[in-house]
Amino acid sequence: MDFIYAQKLEEALNALRTQAGRAKVLAGGTDLMIQIARGEKQPQALIFIGQLKDDLAAVSLSQDGHLNIGALVTHRQICADRQVQASYPALATASASVGGWQTQSVGTLAGNICNASPAADTIPPLLVHEAVVTIQSAARGLRDVSLEYFITGRRQIAIENDEMVVGITLAPLPADTADAYLKVGRRKAMEVAIAGLAMRLTMAGPEIVGELRVATCATGPVSRRAREVEALFSGQKLTDELVTQGASLLGRMIQPIDDTRASAQYRKLVIPKLFRGAVLECLAKLGIAISGLEKS
Amino acid sequence: MKINLKVNGILEEVEIEASTVLLDVLRDKLHLTGAKEGCREGECGACTVLIDGQPVDSCLYSAAAAANTEIETVEGISANGLSAIQKAMVEEGGIQCGFCTPGIVMTLTALLRQNADPTPKDVAAALNGNICRCTGYSRIVSATLKAAKNAMAQKAGDAHA
Amino acid sequence: MPEVIGRSVPRADGPGKVTGQTLYTADIEHKGMLHAAILRSPTPAGKIVRLNADKARQMPGVKAIVTAADAPDVRAGWALFDTPMFARDEVLFEGEPIAAVAATTLAQSRAAVAAIELEIQEIPPVGDIDMALAEGARLIHPKLAQYGSVPGIVFNREGNVACKYAHEEPGVDDAFARADRIIEDTYDFGRQYQGYLEPKGTVVQYRDGRYTVQSGHQYVFNLRDRLAQFLQIKPSDVRVQGMAIGGGFGGKLDFGPEPYAAVLAKATGKPVKLIFSREEDLIAATVREGARVRIRSALDKDGNIIGREFFTDHDNGAYSGELILMAGLALMFCRGVYRTGPIRTQFRLIYTNTSPTGAYRGVSGVPMISAIECHMDHIARELGVDPRAYRLAHTLNNNEKLPNGQMLHDAAILREAYAEIEKIAPWEEMKRTKKPLEGVAIGSTVWLTNPLPASATVKLNEDGSAHVLSGTCDIGTGAMAQGVVGIVAETLGLDPANVHIVQPDTDVAAYDGGSQGSRTTRAVGRAAEHAAMDVRQKILDAAAPLMQTEAARLTLSGGKIHDIEDPGKAIGLTDILMMGAFASGPIVGTGKHAEQPIPFDPGCAVGLAFPTLPTPTYHVHMAKVAVCPMTGNVEVKRYIVAQEVGKALNPQGISGQIQGGVAQGIGYALHEGLRVRDGRYMERSLEAYRLPLAVDIPEVEAIILEHPADEGPFGAKGTAEPPIVLAPAVIHNAIYDAIGVPLNSIPLTPERILEALERRKSA
């Protein structure tokens, strides 16, 4: 196996083109190095992009209010970033729950989505914020793809052999919007999610939902938005009955499996409760109290 | 491949494979055995070292990727006698079997550099990636608070002088 | 006045550990050292049809491959000799060693392991104790009756039962016949992995016809003896050198990688290092056994327990370790610390096609005491009375007897422990201030101090410092690094910094029962105290002629020898050693400890390895928990321990044991979980087997109660095991209090708690 130090982004892209599918891009390596050690991945070369910090390691706000997260931005940076904390706190919460400090120091947000684990914590919040993945290749330059289409299956992503992810972009928030990420594990940290749920809630008026978005992880082969549930809420008055209805529909929609972490039955039981919990958390963040909304 | 690693301020040339992890270089090539192998999957933190001041699990950190960084191991921070956190760990009884201790010392070293006055919650959260099976953690947390207090008192004393 | 005893003197090995300089087994390197790996059975039960290592032997770097054909055809064991070194014709558990490889590098030995051709004809495993006990169950050890065993211990074995012990006090049936009500429970306990941070490892050399074994090990003499059994050599042909040990908790009391490295060392003539991977360590660990305890209690109309049945079944796994020796615990713990009528008790240790189980802190007592304490809460709730009040009303007093006939002379310490907790956490206030889905619980028990014998040698150095040599290590508890250091320092009037602990070495030290069963401080401590007293007398004898007086007039303190009747007259210890040693010879003292037998009723307990509870200590724990209605997770909000320790030689060390032991108990109750399906472990990594983190464990409040033992080093009793013993039941009962239903098993997973909440909601 070769180890290629990319000194410039072009070098990384050229190396990817030359290697034609035989190489893997290495950033933090928290997933990749284990996969190599276990023989699950056997690339002929590692293209190390860790030295491209000038190009890829920033969280920046564009003039039109979009937040651009470079491919080398670590979970630790996400957790500490003021703009993320202010606008997308669910993402900060999710990044803060990926492993411990050691993993967060080196593990990147881009790496988390490229690994495309069904239990990846950051994917649900990125989905509810309709994150866009920016991909670059030497041959075709830049292209954007919605995260929803970027992840095509369990540990499968829509990327060509000569491409790499260079950034992730989040759109500015509408007014009266809050988000939440709730995660279930046996311990308070260091958990691969037993189940996770992200929500983004925009209120259109007192007690009237503008838009509700919800996505879950560890509830099926791929993290997805639950659009049928979301549709129930658009323009509707937020009532206890509606939350119950949304929660139970979500519970029916997900297709979890039994694995060593938990049974499918538990996941079916807990996801509706997380849904309700997320509604309450979003409302609390918005400072809205709705009478009759039960805690559980 | 040959690479240069800067470990505890000293450049070392080592021969590695592209798949070699930093822990193996430290222990087997450089004979720095302070970092321990507890799981080799990034769960226990016994192999924690600092890279550019940040704690990392050296068991899953590419050795080649560590070139051009500042690597600090427990041997490095012990070079001039016990540091404040090491002293406090000994005094407070934050140590039992000692196998997790070097990793925990490294994480807490990073914590105290970044947060001179941590709360017990800050300390516990900083240790999410470090397992100690012996102590129940209480004395590790109190040792960290003591080290912080001592360091702040020392700093105030220095400023006064 | 004691100057060291009772003070929180930091541990002597702290600086080495905190700087990473302490040498553990994995840190050892020898010239020409080879690296080994083991081929393990991929299946829990089957016949070995084909085993061919010819190709693997040709691989780069491979120096030797050994199998059953290269080892003596014997079975070894701690109590029952049922364990082969390598599987020969059949495999009995997933992970059973089949072959071992030594190569220049670890990668080469692992590659060779993968290249060994192995074909196993699988047999459906006898995967759990129900299957093993079922009528017509396949016998896991058809030749069980023919196996050898250690002399002096009597136990019945038959079918898939490796050890059965039963006892009945007169009047049990009568009590049930006249009972006002009968309360019955069945409790299931899962396995628990010790989860020490240092995976097992060893380095073995074969030179001059002897084996030198370097291992971080709790019980070097047991390891020596096991190697001698496996290799069919004299125990004295094995030298075990104990290394610093990265935790053990009972998991490093028996053999691990050592026999395999030994065979490879002899085959290659090179030092062989064998370190288990974490997965391998977990799969091959002698974990806490799964157990099922059935209790029936007959109550009279006033709620008194007038009779009981106590049946406890324990999963031995495929081969036997220490657990056979634990049969007697059923007799000692079936009553708990409460007055009951007569009891019918039965203990069974049952073979299954699973990884062998063994000792873990609180060995076998954890399920028994957990069952008793959960059952006590059930009884109290059934009677509609307060669980704490019910316990106190039936708690044993001084001079009441355990079912083995042993008198508990000081059981009233339990009431003191309740009272001390009451001072900082009044029970009624704890109950009154509960929020919804919060619960509180309290429980109590007695625990023992392992009575195996000890020895120690104290060697006085020419610079006035001392070395303490014994056959056991400091496993991390501080029992040596704080306890024994303190005892010797105090006895000799030395600065603790001048007392050094030598790692155990079977060539050098006399026999010792190892670091286990809370015994080190007491047993090795007493031996060291005697050795230090011997040294002290020798110092005074050597000083007397120099000071031109009699030894009886002299005393030793602060590194000086003083004349009691002429306080101005003193000479330094180093002066004695420089001058006196020419006349008296070098000063070395020896000491030993053997526990005095405790009177018991031989009718019920004869033949048991442990017929009594030596050096009993008393314990009360209280917990407050909060259950999350969304996930079923449990947060331990408060945990309080009142623990009797005899004399607290080093309060810091003891509170460290209490905090650490409770953390493991909370982990067992809530976070951990080692499930067996079809004979295989489902959890196989530290990602899946969740050891509790700093954020999961509250600051455990420790109240230390002192009732110095008549004998023993400054009155110390055992300390390290009991903190884990009550925690699972107390957490269970606090959750019971929070959600209103008992779960009757450990671990208490969020799944089961949430399901219970749902059932309660729909009911």
Side-chain angles (χ1 to χ4, degrees):
Chain A
M1 189 165 42
D2 293 328
F3 195 94
I4 300 163
Y5 292 92
Q7 309 289 348
K8 290 184 177 147
L9 182 55
E10 298 75 62
E11 287 177 25
L13 298 174
N14 287 334
L16 271 171
R17 179 161 63 177
T18 313
Q19 292 288 333
R22 295 183 298 263
K24 284 277 166 200
V25 173
L26 176 69
T30 52
D31 288 314
L32 186 56
M33 293 307 288
I34 284 193
Q35 289 161 349
I36 290 171
R38 290 179 183 151
E40 293 164 11
K41 288 199 175 139
Q42 296 170 315
Q44 289 183 15
L46 293 175
I47 301 168
F48 180 56
I49 61 168
Q51 295 174 351
L52 309 181
K53 294 217 166 74
D54 290 346
D55 294 316
L56 301 175
V59 180
S60 57
L61 201 60
S62 69
Q63 286 186 341
D64 57 358
H66 284 70
L67 194 72
N68 301 306
I69 299 168
L72 284 176
V73 172
T74 63
H75 293 295
R76 188 83 182 163
Q77 274 176 280
I78 297 280
C79 305
D81 188 88
R82 295 246 165 88
Q83 293 158 105
V84 174
Q85 286 172 355
S87 300
Y88 315 98
L91 179 60
T93 303
S95 275
S97 80
V98 178
W101 187 357
Q102 290 89 334
T103 302
Q104 293 164 17
S105 296
V106 290
T108 61
L109 185 65
N112 201 223
I113 65 168
C114 287
N115 192 46
S117 158
D121 290 298
T122 61
I123 291 175
L126 290 172
L127 284 174
V128 298
H129 288 298
E130 297 192 337
V132 171
V133 183
T134 303
I135 296 165
Q136 196 169 350
S137 63
R140 299 176 303 285
L142 291 163
R143 70 180 174 102
D144 284 347
V145 55
S146 162
L147 178 64
E148 198 160 6
Y149 299 109
F150 178 74
I151 297 171
T152 54
R154 187 180 177 280
R155 296 193 178 279
Q156 287 178 335
I157 52 175
I159 196 161
E160 300 297 327
N161 282 339
D162 64 344
E163 291 180 323
M164 67 176 258
V165 171
V166 292
I168 296 158
T169 304
L170 296 168
L173 292 186
D176 299 318
T177 299
D179 69 2
Y181 177 65
L182 299 176
K183 172 178 180 175
V184 184
R186 285 278 290 280
R187 296 183 293 199
K188 286 187 183 163
M190 293 298 282
E191 286 282 333
V192 177
I194 285 174
L197 180 146
M199 182 177 288
R200 180 174 124 161
L201 179 63
T202 305
M203 297 301 283
E207 308 199 358
I208 303 297
V209 177
E211 185 187 20
L212 180 149
R213 297 179 188 166
V214 62
T216 58
C217 66
T219 52
V222 186
S223 282
R224 284 284 179 246
R225 295 260 300 271
R227 286 211 160 70
E228 293 91 330
V229 175
E230 295 178 0
L232 286 179
F233 287 80
S234 285
Q236 299 299 309
K237 187 166 187 265
L238 192 59
T239 63
D240 192 68
E241 296 74 49
L242 185 61
V243 174
T244 303
Q245 201 187 337
S248 65
L249 176 58
L250 181 60
R252 290 196 300 277
M253 281 174 63
I254 58 170
Q255 294 173 311
I257 54 165
D258 289 326
D259 61 19
T260 54
R261 291 198 290 280
S263 68
Q265 191 191 348
Y266 175 69
R267 292 178 163 114
K268 285 258 183 193
L269 193 57
V270 82
I271 280 287
K273 294 175 189 295
L274 294 188
F275 181 85
R276 177 176 287 272
V279 171
L280 292 166
E281 188 177 320
C282 289
L283 290 173
K285 283 179 180 167
L286 291 168
I288 295 172
I290 294 179
S291 60
L293 213 55
E294 299 283 335
K295 285 232 166 93
S296 59
Chain B
M1 60 191 284
K2 272 201 170 61
I3 58 162
N4 286 303
L5 291 180
K6 196 172 175 196
V7 183
N8 302 322
I10 298 166
L11 265 183
E12 307 266 10
E13 190 184 70
V14 288
E15 176 72 36
I16 59 160
E17 307 282 322
S19 59
T20 304
V21 293
L22 180 57
L23 177 65
D24 291 345
V25 175
L26 294 175
R27 289 182 56 85
D28 299 340
K29 308 254 178 193
L30 302 178
H31 308 286
L32 297 169
T33 54
K36 302 299 178 196
E37 180 176 318
C39 68
R40 217 174 173 86
E41 55 178 5
E43 289 291 330
C44 77
C47 65
T48 302
V49 300
L50 306 188
I51 292 204
D52 295 333
Q54 294 290 319
V56 308
D57 290 320
S58 62
C59 73
L60 38 79
Y61 198 93
S62 156
N68 303 312
T69 69
E70 298 278 345
I71 303 163
E72 287 175 89
T73 72
V74 73
E75 289 87 354
I77 66 151
S78 312
N80 300 314
L82 298 188
S83 69
I85 182 63
Q86 288 173 311
K87 231 179 259 169
M89 284 281 281
V90 173
E91 288 166 6
E92 284 288 298
I95 309 158
Q96 286 187 25
C97 85
F99 203 77
C100 73
T101 307
I104 284 183
V105 163
M106 295 315 289
T107 300
L108 295 175
T109 298
L111 173 72
L112 290 172
R113 283 181 193 166
Q114 296 178 22
N115 180 354
D117 188 16
T119 64
K121 271 195 170 161
D122 294 336
V123 179
L127 291 174
N128 279 344
N130 290 89
I131 290 170
C132 170
R133 186 53 155 168
C134 294
T135 63
Y137 302 100
S138 295
R139 291 185 168 276
I140 297 174
V141 174
S142 61
T144 315
L145 303 180
K146 181 174 180 177
K149 215 173 110 191
N150 288 346
M152 284 187 292
Q154 170 126 33
K155 218 171 165 186
D158 291 350
H160 193 69
Chain C
M1 272 300 284
E3 290 171 1
V4 183
I5 297 301
R7 280 204 299 126
S8 290
V9 178
R11 51 188 308 140
D13 58 3
K17 286 179 171 176
V18 84
T19 54
Q21 291 177 34
T22 300
L23 204 66
Y24 297 86
T25 309
D27 304 333
I28 300 171
E29 286 183 48
H30 292 301
K31 271 204 182 340
M33 188 173 80
L34 302 175
H35 296 266
I38 294 182
L39 171 68
R40 294 175 178 277
S41 172
T43 181
K47 303 266 176 231
I48 299 176
V49 180
R50 202 165 82 90
L51 176 64
N52 187 332
D54 292 349
K55 269 187 213 156
R57 282 199 175 88
Q58 304 310 313
M59 290 176 66
V62 173
K63 303 296 181 196
I65 298 183
V66 293
T67 67
D70 304 289
D73 187 5
V74 292
R75 289 177 186 262
W78 193 326
L80 175 62
F81 309 150
D82 61 2
T83 313
M85 191 191 309
F86 289 106
R88 193 165 287 267
D89 305 313
E90 53 171 2
V91 293
L92 300 194
F93 72 96
E94 188 204 12
E96 182 166 4
I98 293 173
V101 179
T104 307
T105 69
L106 180 57
Q108 289 168 338
S109 60
R110 294 226 167 113
V113 161
I116 296 173
E117 294 165 26
L118 171 68
E119 199 181 317
I120 293 178
Q121 187 189 341
E122 291 195 32
I123 301 169
V126 178
D128 57 40
I129 57 179
D130 289 329
M131 291 172 75
L133 293 172
E135 184 133 355
R138 179 170 59 80
L139 294 183
I140 293 172
H141 289 277
K143 294 180 180 166
L144 177 59
Q146 296 159 35
Y147 294 156
S149 65
V150 288
I153 301 168
V154 181
F155 56 94
N156 296 314
R157 42 181 142 141
E158 193 182 5
N160 281 326
V161 178
C163 170
K164 179 176 168 177
Y165 167 77
H167 177 68
E168 181 168 347
E169 294 171 307
V172 175
D173 288 329
D174 175 55
F176 277 93
R178 64 191 167 83
D180 182 62
R181 68 172 99 193
I182 293 168
I183 295 177
E184 181 168 358
D185 284 301
T186 300
Y187 297 101
D188 282 299
F189 299 93
R191 295 185 176 206
Q192 185 183 19
Y193 176 38
Q194 290 86 352
Y196 35 74
L197 261 279
E198 177 203 33
K200 284 180 192 164
T202 191
V203 179
V204 181
Q205 301 176 70
Y206 181 75
R207 292 178 200 274
D208 301 331
R210 301 184 73 222
Y211 296 89
T212 299
V213 179
Q214 295 174 296
S215 289
H217 202 271
Q218 291 179 247
Y219 190 179
V220 290
F221 287 94
N222 195 36
L223 178 57
R224 177 198 66 178
D225 294 351
R226 198 73 61 254
L227 281 163
Q229 286 177 319
F230 276 127
L231 301 168
Q232 291 289 289
I233 53 177
K234 295 199 306 275
S236 56
D237 284 340
V238 180
R239 175 182 194 176
V240 180
Q241 296 180 313
M243 302 298 296
I245 178 169
F249 315 110
K252 294 176 183 169
L253 285 166
D254 208 335
F255 77 97
E258 294 85 2
Y260 311 99
V263 173
L264 288 168
K266 188 174 182 189
T268 60
K270 302 277 190 212
V272 172
K273 184 186 228 179
L274 175 52
I275 309 286
F276 286 174
S277 72
R278 178 54 70 177
E279 182 184 11
E280 187 176 24
D281 191 274
L282 192 160
I283 286 173
T286 48
V287 301
R288 185 190 306 291
E289 77 276 24
R292 177 175 298 155
V293 186
R294 285 175 295 145
I295 314 183
R296 283 175 80 218
S297 291
L299 306 185
D300 69 12
K301 62 177 173 27
D302 300 320
N304 298 306
I305 301 166
I306 55 171
R308 172 172 288 169
E309 285 184 335
F310 183 87
F311 296 150
T312 182
D313 286 337
H314 298 244
D315 185 348
N316 198 28
Y319 298 107
S320 303
E322 187 184 5
L323 299 188
I324 283 174
L325 304 174
M326 299 300 131
L329 293 183
L331 186 63
M332 255 77 81
F333 292 132
C334 61
R335 178 162 289 163
V337 285
Y338 310 101
R339 257 168 251 126
T340 68
I343 304 184
R344 175 181 293 137
T345 185
Q346 176 183 284
F347 169 93
R348 288 187 296 186
L349 185 62
I350 298 150
Y351 283 118
T352 56
N353 282 126
T354 62
S355 190
T357 58
Y360 184 159
R361 199 175 198 165
V363 54
S364 293
V366 166
M368 297 180 198
I369 290 167
S370 295
I372 294 285
E373 288 300 314
C374 292
H375 185 63
M376 287 298 284
D377 263 46
H378 184 197
I379 293 173
R381 283 167 198 279
E382 195 83 18
L383 294 171
V385 299
D386 176 79
R388 179 179 183 272
Y390 183 73
R391 279 183 173 78
L392 276 170
H394 297 88
T395 293
L396 298 177
N397 273 318
N398 285 349
N399 300 321
E400 294 196 71
K401 278 184 177 174
L402 291 175
N404 64 342
Q406 176 183 351
M407 186 86 88
L408 290 181
H409 297 288
D410 44 9
I413 294 171
L414 287 165
R415 292 172 197 280
E416 182 191 341
Y418 277 102
E420 287 299 317
I421 289 182
E422 186 68 10
K423 283 184 195 161
I424 62 166
W427 179 249
E428 288 305 322
E429 191 184 311
M430 293 288 285
K431 287 207 297 188
R432 199 177 58 244
T433 54
K434 278 187 309 181
K435 296 184 193 125
L437 288 181
E438 289 186 345
V440 294
I442 196 163
S444 56
T445 195
V446 61
W447 191 256
L448 68 155
T449 310
N450 178 306
L452 287 171
S455 73
T457 300
V458 173
K459 173 172 83 80
L460 201 60
N461 299 311
E462 292 67 43
D463 60 1
S465 66
H467 275 82
V468 186
L469 186 67
S470 82
T472 197
C473 67
D474 190 302
I475 195 181
T477 56
M480 301 295 289
Q482 289 175 308
V484 170
V485 164
I487 289 162
V488 171
E490 186 74 48
T491 308
L492 293 179
L494 294 178
D495 183 333
N498 282 329
V499 178
H500 307 288
I501 298 292
V502 180
Q503 293 287 13
D505 184 330
T506 58
D507 265 16
V508 178
Y511 185 85
D512 183 273
S515 179
Q516 59 165 327
S518 311
R519 68 179 284 282
T520 306
T521 302
R522 176 169 169 79
V524 182
R526 276 195 90 191
E529 184 185 20
H530 290 158
M533 282 159 61
D534 187 12
V535 165
R536 184 189 165 89
Q537 190 56 49
K538 285 172 176 164
I539 292 169
L540 300 184
D541 288 345
L546 294 173
M547 294 175 76
Q548 296 176 330
T549 183
E550 290 164 16
R553 275 180 55 161
L554 298 177
T555 186
L556 175 62
S557 71
K560 283 195 163 71
I561 295 95
H562 305 268
D563 188 331
I564 299 165
E565 290 167 30
D566 183 2
K569 198 166 152 195
I571 61 170
L573 186 52
T574 46
D575 298 332
I576 303 288
L577 293 164
M578 296 301 290
M579 299 180 287
F582 284 106
S584 66
I587 294 179
V588 178
T590 61
K592 62 180 181 168
H593 165 70
E595 209 64 64
Q596 293 307 305
I598 297 164
F600 66 98
D601 173 7
C604 65
V606 75
L608 290 172
F610 293 101
T612 59
L613 278 185
T615 325
T617 54
Y618 299 93
H619 312 270
V620 176
H621 288 205
M622 179 197 269
K624 178 179 180 181
V625 304
V627 173
C628 172
M630 191 160 66
T631 62
N633 283 101
V634 175
E635 175 165 7
V636 183
K637 308 284 279 188
R638 198 164 175 197
Y639 202 100
I640 308 170
V641 173
Q643 174 161 339
E644 193 259 324
V645 301
K647 168 73 185 169
L649 301 190
N650 186 311
Q652 180 194 78
I654 288 175
S655 76
Q657 286 313 293
I658 292 174
Q659 288 162 338
V662 168
Q664 292 182 1
I666 291 173
Y668 182 43
L670 297 177
H671 309 105
E672 302 171 34
L674 189 55
R675 293 169 297 171
V676 181
R677 290 280 182 285
D678 302 323
R680 296 169 199 270
Y681 286 136
M682 294 178 76
E683 285 76 17
R684 310 172 76 93
S685 68
L686 292 190
E687 181 195 308
Y689 190 84
R690 297 153 168 107
L691 299 168
L693 307 172
V695 287
D696 296 310
I697 302 296
E699 187 179 341
V700 176
E701 300 162 63
I703 302 167
I704 297 171
L705 306 177
E706 296 192 310
H707 290 270
D710 294 340
E711 302 174 331
F714 301 91
K717 303 174 187 171
T719 300
E721 276 187 299
I724 201 175
V725 171
L726 280 171
V730 171
I731 298 291
H732 171 276
N733 290 339
I735 294 170
Y736 183 4
D737 185 47
I739 68 175
V741 286
L743 293 172
N744 287 11
S745 69
I746 300 287
L748 302 147
T749 63
E751 287 206 45
R752 297 184 44 237
I753 292 168
L754 202 62
E755 281 163 21
L757 281 173
E758 287 297 300
R759 277 201 306 277
R760 194 183 70 162
K761 211 164 40 170
S762 57

